[in-house]
Amino acid sequence: EVQLVQSGAEVKKPGESLRISCKPSGYGFTTTWIAWVRQMPGKGLEWMGMIYPGDSDTRYSPSFQGQVIISADKSITTAYLQWSSLQASDTAIYYCAKTTQYCSTSSCRLDYWGQGSLVTVSS
Amino acid sequence: EIVLTQSPGTLSLSPGERATLSCRASQSVSSSHLAWYQQKPGQAPRLLVYGATSRATGIPDRFSGSGSGTDFTLTISRLEPEDFAVYYCQQYDSSLIFTFGPGTKVDIK
C-alpha cells in the first residue's frame, strides 16, 4: 500500500527556520517525483515544486523559487521542504504528493498525497 | 507560465443533478498534461481524472473528463451526496512545471 506520511503541525515565530518532512512507503522512492503543494487558509492549491530523489533533479514554481528549498535523502527515503526565514504569510497546510512514473514521456499526475502538515507562523 | 481559470467559482446543485465544471488555459495545453482533483473539507486532494479523459483508479464512472487545447470540462453525471466538494484542474508544461486552477466549489442547493 502506498502511503506518504508527513511530519506534524508546527508553530513558529517570524524569522525562524523550519524543515518539514514527507516519508513515502509502498513504492520505489527513487522512481517518481515528490511534489509539495501549499494551501493557505480557505484558499486553493498552489504547486510549489518537486524533486526526483533518484538524481535530485528539482523543479520550482516561479512563485516559490528562492523562497523555499526542496530536498530528499535517499538513504532514509524522505523528502523535505524547508524555509530559512518564515513569514506570517507562510501559514498554510503543506501537502506532499508523489507523481506517477515516467513523467517526461507519459501523462504525469499526483496520484498519492500525504495527510498535510499545518505550519502556523505567528509572533 | 500557463494560467488556468475555472468556472463557475461555485456551483449550487441538488443530488441527482448533472454538474459541468470548466477549466480554461491561457495557452494550449497538451491533453495528456491535464488532470482534475477533488478535495473535501479537512482532507487531502484526490486524483479523479488524468490525461484529460482517463479516470483514476477507483473513480466512479459518473465522473468524466473531456476537452482539448485551452478548454477542458469535468462532468459529474448524477451528483451523489459525497460529490459535494471543491474541484481543481491542473496542468504541467514541458519543463514539468505544474499549475492548479483556482477551483470550483460544488455545494448543495
Side-chain angles (χ1 to χ4, degrees), chain B residues 6-17:
Chain B
Q6 292 187 242
S7 61
T10 302
L11 195 53
S12 296
L13 294 168
S14 301
E17 290 194 293

Side-chain angles (χ1 to χ4, degrees), chain A:
Chain A
E1 179 193 7
V2 175
Q3 285 188 307
L4 286 78
V5 178
Q6 298 186 228
S7 50
E10 301 273 1
V11 179
K12 292 292 199 178
K13 291 182 169 25
E16 291 186 330
S17 63
L18 175 65
R19 188 176 75 168
I20 62 175
S21 66
C22 171
K23 185 167 177 62
S25 60
Y27 74 98
F29 180 68
T30 59
T31 63
T32 76
W33 297 79
I34 297 285
W36 288 95
V37 176
R38 183 174 80 174
Q39 188 165 41
M40 298 176 75
K43 302 299 183 182
L45 305 175
E46 300 174 271
W47 184 84
M48 303 175 71
M50 63 187 189
I51 188 166
Y52 191 79
D55 61 8
S56 296
D57 187 2
T58 310
R59 310 293 166 90
Y60 289 96
S61 163
S63 300
F64 291 94
Q65 179 84 49
Q67 308 304 309
V68 296
I69 295 174
I70 294 171
S71 61
D73 187 332
K74 286 191 289 188
S75 68
I76 56 172
T77 61
T78 300
Y80 300 99
L81 175 66
Q82 67 182 76
W83 297 259
S84 58
S85 179
L86 286 161
Q87 304 174 40
S89 57
D90 294 317
T91 294
I93 296 173
Y94 293 87
Y95 293 100
C96 65
K98 66 170 280 296
T99 70
T100 46
Q101 286 186 291
Y102 313 119
C103 272
S104 60
T105 57
S106 66
S107 182
C108 188
R109 61 268 189 192
L110 302 172
D111 59 349
Y112 287 90
W113 294 66
Q115 83 277 18
S117 297
L118 174 62
V119 173
T120 303
V121 184
S122 175
S123 55

Side-chain angles (χ1 to χ4, degrees), chain B residues 2-106:
Chain B
I2 297 176
V3 176
L4 298 177
T5 304
Q6 292 187 242
S7 61
T10 302
L11 195 53
S12 296
L13 294 168
S14 301
E17 290 194 293
R18 181 184 188 89
T20 303
L21 287 67
S22 173
C23 176
R24 179 162 290 176
S26 60
Q27 56 188 279
S28 185
V29 171
S30 170
S31 293
S32 65
H33 295 190
L34 196 287
W36 291 90
Y37 300 82
Q38 175 194 65
Q39 188 180 32
K40 297 179 183 179
Q43 296 184 17
R46 176 175 70 147
L47 175 67
L48 291 178
V49 169
Y50 64 93
T53 61
S54 298
R55 277 187 300 276
T57 303
I59 301 304
D61 61 8
R62 64 180 180 273
F63 290 92
S64 63
S66 62
S68 64
T70 59
D71 291 295
F72 298 89
T73 300
L74 177 71
T75 301
I76 311 171
S77 59
R78 294 173 311 279
L79 283 164
E80 297 287 342
E82 62 268 27
D83 299 336
F84 292 93
V86 180
Y87 293 83
Y88 297 93
C89 59
Q90 166 256 301
Q91 69 82 40
Y92 65 97
D93 63 19
S94 57
S95 299
L96 291 179
I97 302 299
F98 285 51
T99 54
F100 285 98
T104 290
K105 182 178 182 181
V106 179

